[in-house]
Amino acid sequence: MRPWGTPGGLVCHVLLVETPTCLVLVDTGLGLKYADDPASRFGPARFYVRPVFDEAEAAITHVTRLGFDPQDVRHIVLTHFDADHTGGLADFPWAQVHLTAAENFAALHPKGAVERGRYLPSHRRHRPILVEHTPAEGQAWRGFAGAEELADIAPGIVLINLPGHTRGHAAVAIDATDHWVLHAGDSFYHHAQIDGTGKAPTALTAMERLMAHDWRRVQANHRRLTELSRTADPRLLLVNAHDPSLLHRARELTDPTG
């Protein structure tokens, strides 16, 4: 995606997790159906965010390219229900879709212009199999107030309550045996917001504030993620949904072939 005033643009960073019994996606990106009807699949925000459709970059295409059968993607764990995270749901209609109960309620009962613009009915047209979770009622995880292990999917997949960007926004942590991957979703947009290197583009931070359901919670999430970043724990790989530099760093750290 190429928002105005954002050098380098944005990505849709999706995780593919191989468990002993199935494949799991964390978020789904734009998906193949974006090209069919950009207006209903992204809404007016597309004129600012300017998504670039490329079938080769769709999650389902990557799954196949990696040598897997897309039918083995049995579960999808969402950080939230924004269009650039749920666009690929229809490419995996057989999969169970896991999200927080608060996010599902918000998507079904949007309040105000921002929520009505972000929660698009077209992403439910195929009637996804939704599974609600309440991580806010769970135990703390690395300083975050509530988390729920999705043990019915596989051990070591943790849904973390992280509202702010949306009413029911969550982060997802994955136990990769020798390290953890923490996908923070849209709890921050640019690495400079939490690692202190450089400065996030003003256009991007302005968009973040405009889209925030609860700006104070977004700021609190920034502070906690900054603390995690400063520990520089080699056993924790922190990524988010849209920062291309974090995607490239993750690839370098986890893919020996580059």
Side-chain angles (χ1 to χ4, degrees):
M1 300 183 291
R2 300 170 296 127
W4 300 104
T6 306
L10 303 177
V11 296
C12 293
H13 190 166
V14 173
L15 301 183
L16 178 65
V17 183
E18 185 179 11
T19 80
T21 59
C22 66
L23 299 175
V24 181
L25 282 175
V26 176
D27 286 342
T28 65
L30 295 178
L32 292 178
K33 294 189 180 297
Y34 173 80
D36 296 342
D37 187 1
S40 74
R41 301 295 298 178
F42 211 97
R46 70 191 186 281
F47 296 114
Y48 181 80
V49 178
R50 300 191 298 165
V52 179
F53 176 73
D54 182 353
E55 184 174 328
E57 289 299 312
I60 194 168
T61 306
H62 279 292
V63 170
T64 302
R65 185 181 298 127
L66 289 168
F68 295 111
D69 183 348
Q71 290 285 335
D72 288 335
V73 177
R74 307 284 173 77
H75 299 275
I76 297 170
V77 184
L78 293 178
T79 59
H80 60 299
F81 220 91
D82 274 355
D84 48 344
H85 299 255
T86 61
L89 290 180
D91 299 334
F92 304 90
W94 55 84
Q96 291 188 354
V97 181
H98 301 259
L99 74 170
T100 69
E103 186 69 0
N104 194 35
F105 184 84
L108 290 172
H109 306 280
K111 295 180 180 179
V114 171
E115 287 194 341
R116 286 193 294 271
R118 78 186 332 156
Y119 296 131
L120 303 177
S122 62
H123 291 238
R124 293 175 179 262
R125 196 170 291 148
H126 68 288
R127 297 184 179 179
I129 307 165
L130 301 178
V131 182
E132 293 185 348
H133 298 272
T134 53
E137 299 174 5
Q139 298 181 349
W141 191 91
R142 295 206 181 204
F144 298 108
E148 177 183 342
E149 184 175 33
L150 305 185
D152 288 347
I153 300 177
I157 299 178
V158 182
L159 189 65
I160 301 165
N161 191 51
L162 209 64
H165 177 66
T166 66
R167 277 196 257 173
H169 185 277
V172 183
I174 307 293
D175 184 355
T177 306
D178 60 345
H179 68 284
W180 282 83
V181 179
L182 177 59
H183 192 307
D186 282 8
S187 54
F188 69 102
Y189 279 178
H190 191 275
H191 66 91
Q193 294 174 288
I194 64 165
D195 66 13
T197 61
K199 186 178 184 299
T202 300
L204 199 57
T205 56
M207 182 174 70
E208 179 183 38
R209 184 155 191 171
L210 174 67
M211 295 300 295
H213 170 71
D214 187 329
W215 180 242
R216 286 183 296 179
R217 282 193 166 186
V218 169
Q219 292 175 305
N221 294 339
H222 285 183
R223 290 191 291 270
R224 177 59 194 138
L225 291 164
T226 296
E227 292 171 359
L228 276 181
S229 178
R230 286 176 178 171
T231 64
D233 184 348
R235 295 166 297 176
L236 179 67
L237 175 59
L238 176 61
V239 299
N240 73 353
H242 298 308
D243 188 319
S245 65
L246 292 181
L247 170 62
H248 297 326
R249 177 174 175 268
R251 283 175 167 167
E252 290 172 355
L253 291 174
T254 59
D255 183 358
T257 67

